[in-house]
DNA sequence: TTGTAAGCGTTATCAG
DNA sequence: CTGATAACGCTTACAA
């Protein structure tokens, strides 16, 4: 409420500002008597140090910036939650920015946050061409599932394997006309390898690939129309491998309402939420918590100025879905 | 990368620090010529002001703290996303803290963030007794769906009406044995009024209330066991009003897997996500975006030091669910 | 229209 | 063991 400063504490404890600072930071030699006096004074005033002053002096903020498309998608929601949890344990706070459908905002966050407002950045989005990121190379940035520049390390999963796993899961059940719903296609998205996995698995079994594109940024309403159009244009399909779980779930809802639940579906992400509320839906599960802790670990070595690998790839696994909960 | 300061820009542009500061903040009279020189110098150096120094001087941070149980629940995910979007437009950044199952963390965020690290706080959680909050009264805090102290304004929805609406929706379909799944019960949670609405609606129709408790903090696995137990102990029930959508969805999944889909279910929250992937599930929808903008609006008047109401109540509506998507 | 100097609240250096 | 004093990088009177 009323804002006290070091000086007020010092006065009350009848010592100097330096001494107070020392007891707060537990630095140097202090007599027990003064330590106690100071603690008492701090408690009496309910003193809290001014973060801005500390940051200015210490030259770091102990804040990490998180830039993701949206907090409302379960995958990002869970990722953000894990990141915050891990970072908090390490003494960091977290500034969150949602960049969805707003490249200017993304660039704004990048430049503002990096100017002494955060100690590092974890990015799971990018609406720019690589060149925009070039000027940030060398800074403590880690990217999740995006390729930004050669300098910025990427935390990724084995998307190719995921694509193969999903496709073969469907093929093994006897389906032949299998469609793949792809999201945004860009070389900077490792998720494109899911598509390659699908393509290769289909080819290996002599099957003809079919695909449909639904951009991640579309609203649910737009996605629903797109799904319906896809269904009406591909009457022969028997199974669908969706690029992510929400698309898969929306597809299942549509099939359900049209009594065509003989079409098999598999998604991608395997969040806790989706497996809890749609346990019957198969999915490729990403190790979200592991991705978060790897991202933090790599970011920390970056902050220390140490060398990191260009890419860290984690494993995925198949969740077959289970109607017998 | 290399960190430049005002002085470096000033030197390059051959003016004083003051002048550079003026052009950055567009304050006072400047000749076009100097303005341009300065802009050029800033661009050349890719200069970015030091946030800590600005904050120290200006005595505000333009950061708002958001403390919520978890980012991974769709309701909070969407709420957080809307809050971030609105706050960003108003020039604020957002520090996010998840407090779930960690009261110490919550208190830590409270005290740390309020000490000059943020200009205000939006809180959607509380693991404490009211007294802990007393010392923060008067500070720029707004709470969402929690009652903290008399001093802290609450943004809430008409939970009572929601409870009535949900219950009557089921009654009107002819169900008589209707169970209500309640979450955490505490006077500080306006959501308790959902329960009261249920109770009153049942009584008005001469029906006997039945309830089951599932704490919000439980894991999905724990919730699933609890749901199964509830089902086996209440074989006579025909319909369930769940306190939130994820519980409702998990219940539906369980019913589904046990071929007992003759039990009707209605949830509470009505997030975009849930309505998209489970369009068949009825729910009471909260106006999440409106709650976010109301929270920001009230917080801003608090920051200005102006008076606010103790409570702001928003309306809810019934989403009947729709199997014909 | 521009510059000088003081001050925001800490921490670090250097004396004592 | 403790205390002056000078930074940290910016904004803002007050002068010119």
């Amino acid at each position: 409420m009323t804002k006290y400063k070091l000086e007020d504490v010092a006065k009350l404890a009848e010592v100097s500002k330096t001494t107070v600072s020392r007891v707060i930071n537990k630095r140097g030699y202090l007599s027990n008597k003064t330590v106690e006096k100071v603690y008492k004074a701090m408690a009496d005033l309910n003193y809290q140090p001014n973060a801005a002053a500390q940051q200015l002096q210490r030259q770091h903020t102990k804040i990490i910036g998180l830039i993701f498309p949206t907090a409302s998608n379960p995958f990002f929601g869970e990722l953000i939650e894990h990141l915050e949890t891990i970072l908090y344990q390490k003494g960091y706070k977290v500034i969150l920015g949602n960049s969805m459908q707003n490249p200017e905002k993304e660039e704004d966050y990048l430049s503002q946050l990096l100017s002494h407002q955060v100690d590092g950045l974890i990015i799971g989005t990018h609406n720019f061409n690589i060149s925009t990121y070039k000027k940030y190379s060398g800074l403590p940035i880690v990217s999740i599932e995006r390729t930004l520049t050669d300098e910025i390390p990427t935390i990724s999963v084995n998307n190719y394997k995921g694509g193969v796993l999903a496709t073969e899961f469907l093929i093994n059940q006897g389906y032949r006309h299998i469609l793949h719903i792809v999201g945004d296609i860009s070389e900077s998205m490792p998720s494109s390898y899911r598509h390659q996995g699908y393509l290769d698995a289909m080819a290996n079994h002599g099957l003809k690939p079919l695909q449909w594109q639904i951009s991640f940024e579309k609203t649910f309403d737009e996605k629903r129309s797109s799904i319906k159009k896809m269904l009406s244009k591909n009457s022969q399909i028997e199974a669908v491998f969706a690029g992510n779980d929400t698309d898969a779930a929306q597809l299942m809802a549509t099939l359900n309402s049209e009594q065509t639940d003989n079409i098999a579906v598999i998604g991608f992400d395997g969040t806790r939420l989706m497996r809890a509320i749609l346990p019957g839906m198969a999915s490729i599960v990403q190790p979200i918590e592991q991705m978060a802790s790897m991202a933090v670990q790599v970011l920390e070595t970056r902050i220390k100025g140490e060398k990191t690998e260009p890419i860290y790839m984690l494993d995925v696994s198949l969740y077959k879905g289970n109607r017998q909960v």
Side-chain angles (χ1 to χ4, degrees), chain A:
Chain A
M1 181 64 279
T2 346
K3 294 189 180 180
Y4 292 106
K5 38 186 180 176
L6 222 46
E7 203 178 338
D8 301 314
V9 179
K11 224 166 264 171
L12 188 64
E14 298 177 298
V15 294
S16 73
K17 295 195 305 177
T18 314
T19 302
V20 179
S21 174
R22 279 200 187 97
V23 349
I24 290 174
N25 300 295
K26 305 190 199 305
R27 235 188 280 290
Y29 303 100
L30 285 317
S31 80
N32 277 330
K33 211 177 56 197
T34 30
V35 171
E36 271 161 37
K37 269 194 305 185
V38 172
Y39 273 134
K40 180 163 184 331
M42 291 200 299
D44 284 358
L45 298 180
N46 191 213
Y47 167 78
Q48 292 291 56
N50 179 312
Q54 289 180 318
Q55 288 168 9
L56 179 58
Q57 167 68 33
R58 304 214 250 241
Q59 302 287 37
H60 64 245
T61 60
K62 279 290 182 181
I63 299 178
I64 300 296
L66 261 34
I67 306 182
F68 287 96
T70 158
S72 69
N73 174 287
F75 174 72
F76 291 115
E78 295 190 6
L79 188 53
I80 289 167
E81 174 167 313
H82 284 127
L83 286 169
E84 189 272 347
T85 302
I86 297 167
L87 287 166
Y88 176 80
Q89 283 166 196
K90 292 180 176 283
Y92 290 101
K93 291 196 174 45
V94 144
I95 286 187
L96 176 69
N98 295 129
S99 59
M100 187 90 116
Q101 278 164 330
N102 199 155
E104 290 160 42
K105 192 171 164 186
E106 178 175 340
E107 165 121 61
D108 193 33
Y109 267 118
L110 274 178
S111 65
Q112 286 203 45
L113 291 185
L114 281 171
S115 16
H116 332 278
Q117 171 116 233
V118 297
D119 293 345
L121 231 37
I122 298 177
I123 297 182
T125 175
H126 100 295
N127 298 304
F128 295 107
N129 42 39
I130 306 288
S131 72
T132 311
Y133 283 92
K134 283 286 187 201
K135 64 177 160 191
Y136 301 114
S137 290
L139 281 168
I141 305 182
V142 166
S143 134
I144 295 187
E145 281 286 298
R146 307 289 140 140
T147 310
L148 302 182
T149 76
D150 307 341
E151 306 274 325
I152 297 175
T154 301
I155 313 298
S156 184
V157 298
N158 194 336
N159 286 287
Y160 181 83
K161 175 181 169 185
V164 172
L165 236 38
T167 311
E168 293 193 329
F169 170 71
L170 296 172
I171 293 173
N172 291 161
Q173 287 174 83
Y175 301 111
R176 292 298 170 258
H177 296 285
I178 301 171
L179 180 141
H180 178 39
I181 296 180
V182 301
D184 306 274
I185 23 198
S186 142
E187 342 138 33
S188 70
M189 313 254 295
S191 61
S192 312
Y193 291 117
R194 295 173 195 178
H195 186 211
Q196 195 55 50
Y198 161 79
L199 256 24
D200 288 1
M202 291 297 274
N204 282 344
H205 291 262
L207 299 175
K208 195 165 129 267
L210 281 168
Q211 64 176 296
W212 188 261
Q213 213 228 114
I214 300 183
S215 166
F216 183 69
E217 310 229 329
K218 291 253 185 300
T219 64
F220 285 120
D221 278 352
E222 292 166 336
K223 286 183 171 192
R224 179 157 37 80
S225 325
S226 179
I227 286 170
K228 285 191 170 186
K229 196 189 287 175
M230 179 273 281
L231 250 18
S232 70
K233 286 201 177 177
N234 298 73
S235 51
Q236 79 287 22
I237 60 165
E238 302 160 344
V240 176
F241 163 32
N244 62 271
D245 279 349
T246 51
D247 284 0
Q250 243 193 321
L251 169 60
M252 284 183 77
T254 308
L255 293 173
N256 231 298
S257 77
E258 301 190 346
Q259 330 289 77
T260 36
D261 22 13
N262 53 327
I263 293 184
V265 176
I266 185 170
F268 205 109
D269 284 347
T271 51
R272 286 185 319 232
L273 176 76
M274 285 304 201
R275 280 190 289 164
I277 68 177
L278 290 173
M281 189 177 83
S283 186
I284 299 301
V285 359
Q286 306 200 52
I288 303 184
E289 183 162 8
Q290 212 185 124
M291 293 167 80
S293 75
M294 180 65 87
V296 172
Q297 186 187 316
V298 174
L299 185 62
E300 280 199 303
T301 95
R302 268 272 150 147
I303 288 175
K304 280 187 234 151
E306 293 166 16
K307 201 70 196 140
T308 53
E309 305 292 319
I311 186 160
Y312 296 82
M313 190 179 287
L314 302 172
D315 202 17
V316 296
S317 62
L318 171 66
Y319 170 69
K320 296 188 175 190
N322 167 22
R323 299 205 164 267
Q324 278 67 48
V325 185

